[in-house]
Amino acid sequence: MTDTVHPLTAHERAHESAESRRGFLLALPAYLYLLVFFALPLAIVFVYSFATRNRTGGTDLSGWNLDSYGRLGDEIVTRVVMRSFGLAMVTTIVCLLLAYPFAYFVSTRRPAVRGLLLVGVMIPFWTNFLVRNYAWRVLLSNDGPVSELTQLLGLGETRILFTQTAVVLGLVYSFLPFMILPLYASLERIDGRLVEASRDLYASSWASFRRVILPLSRPGAIAGSILVFVPSFGAYVTPAILGGDKKPLLGSYIVSQFLTARNWPFGASLSAVLIVVMLSATLVYFRAGGRNL
Amino acid sequence: MTRKLLSLLFALGLVAAACGGSDDDASGEGESASGDAAACAAGQTDGDLAFFNWAEYIDPELLTAFEAEFGVTVTQDTYDSNEAMQPIISAGGSGYDLIVPSDYMVSILIESGDIAEIQKDAIPNLSNLSDEFASGLPFDPDATYSVPYQWGTTGLGINTAVVGDVPETWGLIFDPALADQFGGQITLLNDPRETMGAALKYLGYSLNTTSESELEEAKALVAEATTRLAAYESDQYDELLGTGETVIAHGYSGNFLVQFDEADNPDDFTYFVPQEGGTRWVDNMAVVADAPHPCTAHTFINFLLDAENGAALTNWNYYASPNAASEPFIDPEVLEDPIVYPQDQSKLEFISDTGDFEINFTDAFIEAKG
């Protein structure tokens, strides 16, 4: 008995380690990708944040110091961060309110219709992000289609371009699919029998939505909110093109450190702190609310 | 652990290979790629030209003509700001031979050792330059490192059909009595040096000031002007003016002229540098310090300094030529246009690099926005 057990476990062990080796080899391209295109650039950002700007705007990789981090408490930084935070919150909430009913509607259709609607959600991605933002500029301009329509209706010329409304509109438009898709995924997974059961137990349709569907779709709402909030917080292109860059936001503030002040260490320290804050906030959020994601 | 280390090393190897690979590509057909190579002779080429230039700044036919005459291929990549170009060149190994930095950027590139001395023997056409340009400009006092390409001014483009007859002053931006009526229809360049510079000029100061109190005054003006703006816009200011979205726009002379030319009613538009003065700028050709093909680069500079080729440049992009010999070949309406060739240059200033004070300019600009 012992004779047969021993060689078997050895064999199993060999099999197991072969499995894990194969797993590692399969994941190797992904590891390499993450290392070269994620970890390495990130490390460079962190290294630069401790360096010094020289007189000509180059970066001296010596005389390491924390000066750039000292500036993060400046009043202008706080103001820019709070403004960006507010904008990202508004964008996320508007996206959530728009996406939820739509995702619910899609998830309750026949599979063929579902597929069609989801393709519709993704069609805008076929066009470059920048081009779509410039298209909005045309749509919202003083003599653009939106303004012409309101004039036709006797409401007068609309001036939306270069306002905060235009920025929110552009951001919601750009990031809505990132809210719809995870919401749809979690709504579609809900077992219809649970809803039926709640109705059998005399729950009103509102109660069954609030007590059954909403909690079960929460992981999707959380994932979607993060996917929308993070890029909105650092958005650069949309506020510049549709907002006219009149009120500095975090994205344009960081860009101006690199491209006009040529102060790479400060730009890098802003980016580094942004990354750390977003990463820890995301982790906390996931732990608190999205355990079963 | 060793496995992790190995994969890390492998990744680093990949990165090194990728970098090395692009170097090989850039140096073309295996010519020696040393920057301080032996002297180039006039008309000598040592491989294909890798040209890094501003977008829409050269007539493509000039590139074709150069290719045909010298039997080399010209590859042109473009950039939209000096600051976008500089890090690529400063990193080294970019593979570019020739770049077109503006005035203040030339002095930065000289100081950082990123551009090579011009081999004047290889460019006989240097004699075509007008005296003012041949003798060197403040950013390169002895014309050792750069050769002027084109020059122009920064000022205001106006839709006269809407604005009417107005005084030529920066007050159109900064004086509420003049500017309030055009609220929401004005754009300013999204550039701290140009826009803070305009306010400084309006106040009667130098746009290269390093006085914090003068900059504070300018900041207050820009902050107030921001409330009247449609946008801070550095790319489409000319289109926005042309389509009627705005009526006053801050921008570069040549871009406005090209735009006015394309408008349905060119007579409705004008451009001027306000009477208080403004920015004058020169873009310059410079050979990259580690250029793989320095001789082709010098030959190309010489080619553009030819009288007829220099004129072709100006006739295409509507910027003024530093090339005196080219004047007979420049379209008369361009040559006589005071917008292209301003008569009074006494109040124009070059933007010069202010060193660490650049940070103050950027900070003041962002704080002025809010």
Side-chain angles (χ1 to χ4, degrees), chain B residues 48-54 58 63 66 74-77 79 85 89 94-101 115 118 123 145-147 149 284-294 296-302 304:
Chain B
D48 294 339
L49 182 72
F51 187 27
F52 201 24
N53 190 12
W54 296 81
I58 191 167
L63 300 179
F66 180 76
V74 179
T75 312
Q76 181 181 232
D77 291 336
Y79 51 86
M85 172 269 291
I89 298 304
S94 65
Y96 290 115
D97 300 305
L98 190 64
I99 54 176
V100 188
I115 51 180
I118 295 291
I123 312 177
Y145 294 91
S146 63
V147 178
Y149 179 82
N284 309 270
M285 296 177 273
V287 179
V288 180
D290 59 358
H293 321 104
T296 309
H298 281 87
T299 300
F300 187 71
I301 294 175
N302 193 53
L304 287 185

Side-chain angles (χ1 to χ4, degrees), chain A residues 32 35 53 55-56 71 79 83 134 137 141-142 162 244-248 253 256 259-264, chain B residues 10-11 83 86-87 108 111 190 192 229-233 236 245 353 355-356 359 362-363 366 369-370:
Chain A
L32 284 179
L35 189 75
R53 178 197 196 271
R55 229 190 58 76
T56 57
R71 286 189 59 191
R79 206 169 348 140
R83 184 181 292 139
Y134 274 111
R137 190 179 250 196
S141 66
N142 289 344
F162 302 131
D245 204 19
K246 281 177 289 190
K247 293 277 168 227
Y253 191 58
S256 68
L259 289 189
T260 61
R262 279 175 284 125
N263 191 353
W264 287 29
Chain B
F10 180 57
E83 288 72 18
Q86 183 221 0
I108 291 171
E111 201 165 331
N190 200 3
L229 290 191
Y232 280 104
E233 176 65 58
Q236 286 205 313
E245 187 73 24
D353 184 47
D356 291 334
I359 295 179
T362 302
D363 286 352
I366 292 169
K369 287 182 179 180

Side-chain angles (χ1 to χ4, degrees), chain A residues 179-200:
Chain A
M179 186 68 91
I180 292 177
L181 296 176
L183 266 178
Y184 165 78
S186 60
L187 283 167
E188 191 247 11
R189 236 180 313 169
I190 294 176
D191 191 337
R193 287 171 301 182
L194 293 174
V195 183
E196 285 165 16
S198 72
R199 298 306 299 270
D200 283 349

Side-chain angles (χ1 to χ4, degrees), chain A residues 67-214:
Chain A
D67 292 358
S68 312
Y69 288 91
R71 286 189 59 191
L72 293 174
D74 287 3
E75 198 231 326
I76 180 80
V77 177
T78 322
R79 206 169 348 140
V80 166
V81 168
M82 291 315 290
R83 184 181 292 139
S84 300
F85 185 84
L87 181 69
M89 283 304 281
V90 171
T91 306
T92 309
I93 291 167
V94 174
C95 278
L96 191 58
L97 292 178
L98 288 177
Y100 203 100
F102 181 78
Y104 186 80
F105 175 79
V106 175
S107 69
T108 52
R109 294 307 100 181
R110 284 184 292 117
V113 180
R114 268 186 224 173
L116 219 60
L117 287 170
L118 286 179
V119 169
V121 169
M122 284 185 278
I123 280 180
F125 287 117
W126 297 356
T127 313
N128 180 287
F129 181 68
L130 201 61
V131 174
R132 284 183 279 140
N133 273 280
Y134 274 111
W136 273 108
R137 190 179 250 196
V138 176
L139 289 175
L140 298 179
S141 66
N142 289 344
D143 49 4
V146 175
S147 186
E148 271 177 12
L149 187 72
T150 54
Q151 277 170 337
L152 217 70
L153 297 172
L155 298 171
E157 201 181 64
T158 42
R159 288 185 167 270
I160 306 177
L161 187 59
F162 302 131
T163 62
Q164 286 298 100
T165 317
V167 176
V168 173
L169 188 68
L171 289 175
V172 167
Y173 162 77
S174 303
F175 299 135
L176 193 59
F178 295 120
M179 186 68 91
I180 292 177
L181 296 176
L183 266 178
Y184 165 78
S186 60
L187 283 167
E188 191 247 11
R189 236 180 313 169
I190 294 176
D191 191 337
R193 287 171 301 182
L194 293 174
V195 183
E196 285 165 16
S198 72
R199 298 306 299 270
D200 283 349
L201 295 167
Y202 297 104
S204 67
S205 58
W206 167 246
S208 107
F209 171 75
R210 201 173 56 85
R211 305 282 291 273
V212 179
I213 298 175
L214 203 58

Side-chain angles (χ1 to χ4, degrees), chain A residues 21-56:
Chain A
R21 200 162 39 236
R22 192 177 318 135
F24 175 77
L25 282 175
L26 281 173
L28 191 63
Y31 280 138
L32 284 179
Y33 180 89
L34 280 177
L35 189 75
V36 175
F37 296 108
F38 178 70
L40 223 55
L42 217 58
I44 293 172
V45 169
F46 277 98
V47 168
Y48 267 73
S49 70
F50 298 107
T52 318
R53 178 197 196 271
N54 65 26
R55 229 190 58 76
T56 57

